[in-house]
Structures are given as structure tokens and as C-alpha cells.
Amino acid sequence: MATTISKPATLVGKGIRRQEDPRLITGTAVYVDDIKMPGMHHAAIVRSPHAAARIAGINTEAALAHPGVVAVFTGADVKNLGAVPCASSLPGLRVPHHHLLAQDRVYYTGHPVAVVVATDRYVAADAASLVEVQYDPQPAVADPEKALAAGAPAVHPQWPDNTSFTFHQEGGDTGQAFRDAEIVVKQRITSQRLIPTSIETRGVVAEWRPGEKSLTMFTSTQIPHLVRTLVAGILGMPENHLRVITPEVGGGFGSKLNVYAEEALMCYIAKEIGKPVKWVESRRENFQATIHGRGHVDYYELAAKRDGTMLGLKLKLIQDLGAYHQLLTPAIPTLSVLMMPGLYKFKSISADIIGVFTNCVPTDAYRGAGRPEATHGIERMVDILAAELHMDPAEIRFKNFVGKDEFPYATTTGLFYDSGNYALPLQNAMAQVDYAGLRQEQATARAAGKLMGIGLSTYGEICAIGPSAAMPAGGWESATVKIEPSGKVTVMTGASPHGQGEETTFAQIVADELGVDIDDVMVVHGDTAVVQYGIGTFGSRGTAVGGAALFYALQELKAKIKKFGAMLLGSDNVSLVGGSCVDDATGKSVSFAEMAVAAYHAKTLPPNTQPGLVATYFWEPPNFTFPFGAHIVVTDVDRETGRISIRRYVAVDDCGKIINPLLVAGQVHGGVAQGLGQALWEEAVYDEQGQLITGELTDYALPKASFMPLIESSHTETPSPVNPLGVKGVGEAGTIGCSPAVVNSVVDALSPLGVRHIDMPLTPQKIWKLIVQSGGLS
Amino acid sequence: MKISGVYTLNVPQERAYALLQDPAILAKCMPGCEGLDRIAENQYAMRMKMVLASISGLFAGKVTIADPNPPTGYRLIVEGSGKIGFMKGDGVLMLSPAGSGATVHFEGDVQVGGTIASVGQRLLDTTSRMLIKRFFTRLAAESAQAGVERVAAD
């Protein structure tokens, strides 16, 4: 037995490089499109070019006659299969039956109408153009406010008002707040439709094994287990005969937190043709047929005292749902309402959501999912109020923050903010930019006719989603930890990642808890035949819920190992120290490998102990976590061209305890990039007829590396009491904090011209027009 | 998308009107037209190759001449669809005398859908202008030619 004990360095908190990166950057990772199977066929989908039309007929003869084509499927074939599921429920929610393929009507451009299956991908694509669909075009409506107007075309003829649901929530007495108000500011604020645009589009490979009566589906998703349950339901097959494997996922941002028609279709087709079938979405299909994000038109009213004390907030939220509900479509705006008070002590709120059908692809979760919209709203409103009161935007925020000694804080929307020190990130960010100095510089610049802006946002978010009571289908997460007979450690997490780096952060947690080398830990995920049931990765929950489940599994396992250690050492008083079990009295120790051998050989066993070293834990979080932070953006606006230059981007984020600062930096950078995308460039545009005219990357201005400012990122660390790791989540923080800081900055720059609000994206054309209209050019 | 324009043809108004209704002439002058066959009175089946930005494809459709009012004008409806989407144009052509020639004034509305709309929208305006200009340039050439033929035939 070894007698020397070395305590390994603590890995949690260190910037360990991502374990998964070598394979990702050397082209040796396996994505869905890399999968090849003997006899594999390829599918191409015929999609509607019309936003609204009756289908008068479909002729598949020419396509079927094309050499290499083995089958063509249309709506009639899948009519009796289940519908694409919507997991959200709201009182009175109207849910249109979402067939896998269009039946007698199409509802948006890109609506799948038929599937052509061929021996080759190119043949399938060619033959798809030979499917003749006779459309009888109908009037379409693509704008949610126009859809609500009297006489608008009905997206679903059975519901001529185009309203899927209305939802009211209030807390406190807004009537009283508005009566007590000395000032009320109002503003219409939009959060435009965005296209999530992950580098890897969606893709599915499905294989039917007739002997086993089982299907294996490879799909690029954030939620393999939920996809298994729901696709099995659509197909009417036992879910334990469906295996879902999620190999590498090249981004999702919420767009793969879904169950799509194509997943069920490929499973159905594989079984029908008795061959494996692959479908990989093209970029143009991705733009038209994968969910979009945001799509809000919000009407805000904010009541306050003249000293800047905010009393009440009213919101009318018009949510552009698109033509159908995808998995969580109607739930997303309810998250906005929960988050609408931001970090401030509102005594009352009142919100009305109107969920509106349009002839567009459905909206659903996109990085932030309802919270960027809410944060943008409240942070704009605070700035508008500050401007009206001639108060500094920082001062008004400090005045209204929930105090650091008020946690847990009950909001008027029914949440309990877990922990926080909201003033600190703002103080740090202000010190970093020399806020007072900047304001002086701005005054000088203005006197010289220059347009310089300073914008703040102090954001909060709902993360670690979430307690099951608040979720449509479970909000817990699972982990299994196995010490193999050789002493190596295998982790199986239900939180299937899609770029979050859990193979690294989870290995860090394991290495610290068990005292093993990080290279001895393997993190397995994304295979429903291997990994116990899990929920998935979204809503900044990977570490805060999945990591917490792992932590508890590790505690159970440690208790068991100690029993084997105690047995081998013949002592009742043992401790686990750095990968060994140590006799407290003698200092003698046994290694992990020795305990593992004892547990698996099981020649003798401790009392009431099973052989093996495996622990599984399903952890139910008692609450969400609430990260927060402050972003300051300094901009210069060119009077002649409307071009916006970001001079400084300072982000001070508090995501609780940090497991790996390198990965947190990555999340902040990526989040800010997508926030800047919304603030400055991106917009999914449908024309009056419901044609998506930003149909590819040439027309949809996704930020490129060269567009990015230097992000000066730092952190405060307020541990969360909700989970044992003290973590809060950081996946969406950058996106949520970014857009209001940018818009506040540009509005501040243009405020000498009388500008008080601008809707995103702040394109140079829009800014230049504003400058011209306000006489700012002369 | 709204389109409009004014072109001058160097033939008298009656002759210009006749040319603008002559399927053989139209087929020759319409850029990309690969066939225009009469299917009914004032109605023709059309095949046309469309090239727009990075996309191209064959369109099959219908050309309809409505409300003919010789020699002052008619309504022209063009509908077509193909692999790359669909288009529908509806416009009015008005002719008036201009010296010894004729002026053709047109205005109308064009709708496109499918890939042409999602990928080609930003080039649609300039491409349409170019195609219309090309049509009238060819028509002017044809009318000069036709004018000569007519003189010879007389």
C-alpha cells in the first residue's frame, strides 16, 4: 500500500483548455453529416415557395421516374402520424395541428410539402425540383401588428383574429403606482426577428433494424432524450426501441432545443424504405425552416417619482409566433414577463401578452429566449426615464437596484432572486472606463459637434432552468459517475452539450472531488442507449443543474468508495484525500485503482454494500439562479454616414462561482457577438407577401470576426445558494447584457439631435436618416 | 415591386401596337424566352430561362393579354413558376404617338416568391430594369427590321 499522499492542485477555477478542442480543430470530430452507412439513402425536401396557399394537387410521377429515386412521400403518407409537438401549455392556447408534411395548405415559405428519397444527395435534390405542386395562393400576413388588424388575412382560417393566446400577469397594484406617479414615460420598443444561424445546420440520419424492430436516429440536437420520447410519440412506437445519438453539435443557440418534423420524417422513411436515410439541411433551408428568435413588438409604460424612484411598469407584448407552435414557442414571451422588472425594486407590474400567428416560420428559443427582449425593454425604459428627468443613467440605476442585503428577493413577477450585489459590477465597469472623465470628454466632443455616446445596461437573467414545477417536462438533470475497474472515471451527463465544453468543466469537477487526474476522466453524453434519461442543455443550465447533479452523484460515490477504503485499511476512520483513501490514525492509504479492483472483484464486500462503483443522481433544483452584470459601451457616430464605431466595450458579469474562466470568457465573447448582431446588423425580413427576403448569409448580416470590438471582460463572483457549486450560468449573459448597452450608447450619442429611441438593428442607413431628419447634417 | 418606364419605338402607333401583340416578335424580344405558344385567344404558354444573381432556372407559365384597346394599350399578365420559385407580373401598356413614332408607357407590379425572393431580392430591381430595357432595345431593332420588311412587301 502506498503511504505517500499528494494533494492535487484544485482545478475548479482554473482556465483549463477545452478537452474537446483538439478533435474539433483538427477535423477529427464526428458530426451528423460525417456519418456514412452501407446502403444509406439521401432525402431532399420540397418546400413551399408561397407563404399561404391551398395545395390543389401534387404530381410526383416525374420525380419518381428520375433514375436513382426510390420514393417520394407527401402529406397523405404521414397524415395519420402524430403532430410536431408543442410542450407549452397556457390557458386557452390555440394549437394548430402541425403535420409532418403540409396537408391541404401551406402556411409559410419553406413549409415542407414532400420528401424525395434517392441513392445520392444530388439526385435527391434534382428530383425534388421535378415534384409538381399546384398551389392556389392565398393572401398572407407576415407582420404581427398587421395580423391583428381588422380584415387581415387569417393565417389559420379557423381563427380569423390570428390570436393564439392572450396572457395576463400582474403583481402589486399598478393602478396605484400610476396614480402615485409624478412622471410616466411610454415607448414602443421592438425586438426584431433573428435567425439563430449555428455553423452546423440541422441534420438527421435514421436507421431501421427490422430484426430488433428498433430505430437509431443521429440528430443534431440539444435535447436527445426529449427528442426520443417525443419522436417515438409522433411515430407511435415504444420509446425504448428508439435510440437517439447526438454526436458533435456545431452550435444550437436554442434552435436545436426543439423537435422538428424532419426528425420524425427521417425515422418514418428509414422504416418505410428499409434503408438508412440521411438529410442535412442546407443554409437556405436553415434560414427558412429552422426556428427564428425574438419577434416582439412591446409597448411599455413606466411610472416614477421625479426623484427617479420607479414605481410601476406596464407592458403590452405582441409576440410574433409564426404559423405554428414549435416546442416552446408560446412559453418564450412568458419568460420576458418574468424578467421585466430587471434588477429594480418595482412595487408593481402588469403585462399582457398577445401571441399572434403570422405566415412565417415559428419563433422559439434563441440565446436568451425572452430575457434579451425583456432586458432590452427595461434598460431602454430606464434610460428614457433618466433622459426625461435629466438624471444620469448610472445614478437612476443605483437608486432603484435591489439592495445587496435584500436577498432572497421576491419580485412582483413571482420570482425569488437568489443572491446578488447589483451595484458592484456597475461600479467596477464605471471605474474601468473612468465614467466621470468620459462624460467630460463627451461634453467637449459635443461642443465640437461630434456624436459620442456612453451606454449602460445593468441586466439580470433567469438561468439554471429550472425547477420542474416551472417547466413543461422536467427541469432536473441527471449524472452517473462510474469508477471503472481500472480506476478510470466515466461520467454520463444528461445535459447533452452543443459547444459548452462540459467535457472540460465536468472533468474539472470530478478531478477535484475524487482527486484524480483530469485525463483519467471521460465525459460521455448524447446517446440515449448509454446515458440515463436527461433533459438537455439550454437556459444556461449545463453546469448549474447538470454540474450540480454530477456533484451529488460524486458525493454518493465517495461515500461508497470510503467503505471499500475502510475495509481494505481495516479502519473505521478514513478520509478521501487526493485520489486515495487514508487511514486517519495510521496515515496508510489505498489508491483508487486498489479500491476499484476490490469493488469489482468483490472477493469480500463491506457490510450492506453492492459490488461495483457507480452512482447516479437526478437533481431537482429548488430555484432558478439569477446572474447579473453591467455592460458599458462607448460609441462614436459618424454624422456624414451614420456609421457606428464602438470605442470601448466593457463587460462586468457575475455568473456566480467560475469553474473555468477560459470557457466563461468564450461564452461572454460569443454572447456579446450575438448581442451586437441584434443591436447593429441582423434582421430577418419578410416582405408583404410573406417571402423571406433575407434568405442567405449575403442578405443577413451576421457579425464577422472583423466586426467585433475588443471586449474588456471581467467578473464579480457572488455565489448562488441554489446549488452546491455556487454557479449561476453564463451562456446567455453576453447576449442579454449587450443590445441595450449598445442602443443606449447610440441614443445617447444622438440625444443632442432630439433622438430618444431607435429600434434595432442600428444600421448606418437608419442612423443616417435620423441624423438627416433631425437636421443634424447641416 | 413596382415597375414602370417609357420607351420610344420608331414606328407608327398602330404598328407598335401590332408588334407588341405579335407572339413571334415577343418571343424573339423577351430575354430568355424559349417558346411562346398560343393556347387561347390572347393567351400564350411561355417557357423562359431566368438568371438572377447566383441562381438560374426554367420558368413555365402563361402570358395573358387582357382589356385590349388597339392601338392605345392593353393589360399584360405574366405568370410563371419553376425550380427557383415563382413570379407574377401584372401591368398596363399605354401607347401614344410621338412624331412619326410611338411612345410606350408601362407600369405594373411584380411579385416573386421562393428562392428568387429569398436569395435574389436585392438584385431584382436592377435585373428587372435591365431585362425590360433589353426587351425594348430588341423590339426597336425588330420594329426597324419589320418596318423594312413591310416597305419591301408593299
Side-chain angles (χ1 to χ4, degrees):
Chain A
M1 286 183 194
T3 49
T4 52
I5 296 150
S6 62
K7 185 169 167 47
T10 305
L11 292 179
V12 168
K14 286 215 167 64
I16 311 278
R17 290 198 178 198
R18 288 172 24 125
Q19 306 285 96
E20 42 276 86
D21 277 351
R23 68 172 189 268
L24 294 174
I25 61 177
T26 54
T28 47
V30 175
Y31 295 85
V32 169
D33 199 19
D34 295 314
I35 291 163
K36 294 181 180 70
M37 288 183 182
M40 189 169 77
H41 282 53
H42 298 262
I45 297 173
V46 178
R47 295 183 184 277
S48 169
H50 296 277
R54 286 205 182 89
I55 298 176
I58 303 178
N59 185 346
T60 60
E61 275 174 34
L64 276 167
H66 193 75
V69 172
V70 301
V72 179
F73 297 93
T74 65
D77 297 303
V78 297
K79 189 176 182 182
N80 295 320
L81 296 178
V84 178
C86 167
S88 319
S89 59
L90 291 168
L93 181 71
R94 290 166 169 174
V95 183
H97 193 87
H98 189 174
H99 287 280
L100 301 183
L101 290 170
Q103 298 295 310
D104 52 350
R105 285 178 85 103
V106 290
Y107 294 92
Y108 62 96
T109 54
H111 196 153
V113 174
V115 186
V116 176
V117 185
T119 49
D120 175 278
R121 186 174 180 178
Y122 297 93
V123 171
D126 284 349
S129 68
L130 299 175
V131 174
E132 293 160 25
V133 186
Q134 275 178 277
Y135 295 103
D136 172 16
Q138 302 292 315
V141 63
D143 176 296
E145 287 194 292
K146 286 183 183 161
L148 286 175
V155 176
H156 298 280
Q158 67 272 38
W159 299 313
D161 62 2
N162 288 323
T163 302
S164 170
F165 67 95
T166 57
F167 178 82
H168 177 75
Q169 184 173 344
E170 65 177 67
D173 187 347
T174 40
Q176 191 60 45
F178 278 75
R179 281 192 295 278
D180 292 345
E182 292 164 357
I183 179 170
V184 173
V185 288
K186 300 179 184 182
Q187 185 61 48
R188 175 184 186 271
I189 297 172
T190 62
S191 188
Q192 76 274 30
R193 255 185 189 259
L194 299 175
I195 301 176
T197 326
S198 51
I199 288 183
E200 185 208 18
T201 57
R202 290 184 293 135
V204 182
V205 174
E207 183 195 21
W208 168 247
R209 293 185 186 168
E212 300 163 22
K213 292 191 175 54
S214 73
L215 267 163
T216 302
M217 166 168 55
F218 296 82
T219 183
S220 184
T221 185
Q222 298 171 220
I223 47 167
H225 281 95
L226 296 175
V227 166
R228 185 189 73 175
T229 304
L230 294 166
V231 168
I234 295 170
L235 300 173
M237 69 181 289
E239 82 171 297
N240 51 2
H241 283 234
L242 174 59
R243 176 183 183 182
V244 173
I245 301 176
T246 299
E248 219 72 70
V249 177
F253 313 116
S255 74
K256 293 172 184 172
L257 161 55
N258 231 307
V259 177
Y260 285 99
E262 291 88 346
E263 292 174 316
L265 279 171
M266 294 310 131
C267 287
Y268 164 78
I269 289 168
K271 196 174 164 185
E272 286 293 310
I273 66 169
K275 300 278 184 194
V277 64
K278 178 192 272 188
W279 167 74
V280 173
E281 189 184 48
S282 73
R283 182 60 61 190
R284 285 178 192 164
E285 276 185 298
N286 178 260
F287 272 36
Q288 287 200 327
T290 292
I291 62 103
H292 289 176
R294 319 281 190 257
H296 272 218
V297 180
D298 295 335
Y299 290 86
Y300 278 99
E301 292 182 40
L302 170 55
K305 295 277 188 193
R306 292 213 72 88
D307 68 357
T309 307
M310 299 193 288
L311 303 173
L313 187 64
K314 286 187 197 170
L315 166 64
K316 180 176 134 188
L317 191 170
I318 298 170
Q319 173 71 50
D320 174 359
L321 301 166
Y324 285 114
H325 298 308
Q326 279 283 348
L327 195 62
L328 299 169
T329 302
I332 305 303
T334 65
L335 282 172
S336 304
V337 170
L338 288 178
M339 206 60 239
M340 67 186 268
L343 303 182
Y344 312 110
K345 285 192 282 189
F346 275 99
K347 289 198 186 76
S348 64
I349 64 104
S350 169
D352 285 288
I353 304 175
I354 307 165
V356 185
F357 289 122
T358 57
N359 289 107
C360 303
V361 78
T363 53
D364 204 323
Y366 169 55
R367 205 167 190 168
R371 291 155 288 157
E373 297 91 320
T375 303
H376 194 77
I378 182 63
E379 289 303 294
R380 283 296 304 125
M381 290 307 291
V382 171
D383 260 38
I384 289 168
L385 176 65
E388 291 278 330
L389 293 171
H390 303 288
M391 274 180 84
D392 185 276
E395 186 192 343
I396 198 164
R397 285 173 168 81
F398 285 125
K399 192 175 182 68
N400 288 282
F401 279 148
V402 172
K404 67 177 177 186
D405 48 4
E406 295 182 68
F407 293 93
Y409 180 80
T411 72
T412 46
T413 53
L415 298 173
F416 288 91
Y417 289 173
D418 58 341
S419 62
N421 182 355
Y422 297 158
L424 188 60
L426 182 54
Q427 286 160 352
N428 288 1
M430 288 169 76
Q432 203 175 330
V433 298
D434 177 19
Y435 187 75
L438 265 184
R439 286 286 177 203
Q440 279 173 5
E441 185 187 341
Q442 184 185 41
T444 311
R446 280 181 179 167
K450 293 210 160 57
L451 301 173
M452 171 188 166
I454 304 162
L456 317 178
S457 89
T458 45
Y459 71 91
E461 52 168 333
I462 310 170
C463 287
I465 289 177
S468 295
M471 300 283 290
W476 45 266
E477 197 46 87
S478 68
T480 293
V481 188
K482 299 194 282 189
I483 297 175
E484 309 288 2
S486 58
K488 305 288 182 189
V489 183
T490 306
V491 173
M492 292 180 291
T493 173
S496 182
H498 51 288
Q500 286 76 9
E502 286 168 20
E503 289 173 39
T504 308
T505 47
F506 282 19
Q508 285 176 263
I509 294 167
V510 171
D512 271 11
E513 284 298 314
L514 297 182
V516 296
D517 194 301
I518 191 168
D519 292 329
D520 287 340
V521 184
M522 169 109 182
V523 180
V524 179
H525 50 75
D527 183 343
T528 62
V530 175
V531 180
Q532 72 290 340
Y533 207 94
I535 302 296
T537 298
F538 53 86
S540 299
R541 71 191 307 276
T543 312
V545 189
L550 170 62
F551 179 87
Y552 284 115
L554 285 164
Q555 304 317 308
E556 286 198 350
L557 192 58
K558 278 160 73 173
K560 186 168 184 183
I561 301 165
K562 267 175 87 172
K563 287 188 187 173
F564 282 97
M567 182 188 76
L568 290 174
L569 291 164
S571 165
D572 285 339
N573 298 308
V574 293
S575 313
L576 286 178
V577 182
S580 300
C581 189
V582 184
D583 184 334
D584 294 341
T586 64
K588 280 189 179 172
S589 70
V590 285
S591 72
F592 253 63
E594 288 168 300
M595 292 185 280
V597 165
Y600 283 95
H601 288 192
K603 302 291 185 198
T604 52
L605 289 168
N608 303 317
T609 306
Q610 297 169 33
L613 287 174
V614 182
T616 298
Y617 205 98
F618 281 58
W619 187 63
E620 169 64 29
N623 189 5
F624 301 103
T625 62
F626 297 89
F628 56 93
H631 289 199
I632 298 186
V633 176
V634 185
T635 55
D636 296 293
V637 179
D638 187 325
R639 229 177 239 275
E640 307 291 325
T641 63
R643 183 174 183 273
I644 296 161
S645 311
I646 296 180
R647 195 198 298 183
R648 296 281 299 270
Y649 195 111
V650 172
V652 182
D653 300 293
D654 194 319
C655 56
K657 283 272 288 175
I658 290 173
I659 305 282
N660 185 327
L662 205 58
L663 271 67
V664 166
Q667 289 290 350
V668 170
H669 283 218
V672 168
Q674 285 179 310
L676 285 172
Q678 171 160 29
L680 298 175
W681 305 295
E682 296 179 43
E683 182 168 28
V685 181
Y686 283 90
D687 72 8
E688 294 273 318
Q689 281 77 39
Q691 294 292 332
L692 178 68
I693 60 174
T694 51
E696 59 180 0
L697 284 163
T698 333
D699 298 296
Y700 185 82
L702 201 68
K704 297 174 178 67
S706 63
F707 293 15
M708 292 294 292
L710 176 74
I711 299 162
E712 302 171 55
S713 171
S714 62
H715 299 273
T716 60
E717 265 194 47
T718 309
S720 171
V722 173
N723 60 67
L725 299 169
V727 299
K728 290 197 170 194
V730 72
E732 298 153 295
T735 312
I736 293 169
C738 176
S739 73
V742 174
V743 176
N744 284 346
S745 183
V746 174
V747 170
D748 184 49
L750 300 184
S751 61
L753 305 176
V755 172
R756 88 172 217 153
H757 177 72
I758 317 169
D759 275 323
M760 301 180 287
L762 309 181
T763 58
Q765 183 188 28
K766 196 184 278 179
I767 301 300
W768 181 82
K769 268 189 188 165
L770 270 173
I771 293 171
V772 170
Q773 280 163 6
S774 56
L777 253 189
S778 51
Chain B
M1 184 185 66
K2 301 272 179 220
I3 53 165
S4 64
V6 182
Y7 285 88
T8 306
L9 292 174
N10 208 11
V11 290
Q13 187 182 342
E14 288 76 8
R15 180 68 192 145
Y17 186 87
L19 284 170
L20 280 166
Q21 290 234 0
D22 181 338
I25 298 286
L26 292 178
K28 262 190 186 174
C29 298
M30 280 162 61
C33 184
E34 295 186 352
L36 199 64
D37 305 310
R38 186 172 182 278
I39 47 176
E41 175 73 17
N42 283 335
Q43 210 167 64
Y44 304 91
M46 172 193 69
R47 276 176 298 116
M48 185 183 219
K49 185 162 190 214
M50 174 105 173
V51 182
L52 184 65
S54 60
I55 50 174
S56 67
L58 267 181
F59 265 47
K62 210 164 61 175
V63 177
T64 308
I65 290 169
D67 313 331
N69 183 20
T72 54
Y74 62 85
R75 181 173 161 218
L76 184 69
I77 302 157
V78 184
E79 292 164 280
S81 64
K83 183 180 173 180
I84 59 169
F86 66 88
M87 67 93 74
K88 188 178 177 187
D90 190 338
V92 177
L93 280 90
M94 289 160 286
L95 286 83
S96 53
S100 61
T103 298
V104 185
H105 176 99
F106 70 90
E107 53 188 78
D109 207 356
V110 178
Q111 271 182 35
V112 294
T115 313
I116 322 171
S118 63
V119 174
Q121 189 94 1
R122 87 203 112 89
L123 294 168
L124 195 61
D125 193 42
T126 43
T127 307
S128 313
R129 269 184 236 274
M130 184 191 78
L131 293 177
I132 292 164
K133 191 175 170 205
R134 200 173 289 166
F135 169 77
F136 278 100
T137 307
R138 287 189 191 168
L139 191 66
E142 284 295 325
S143 67
Q145 187 76 22
V148 171
E149 279 166 10
R150 188 167 55 107
V151 171
D154 287 348

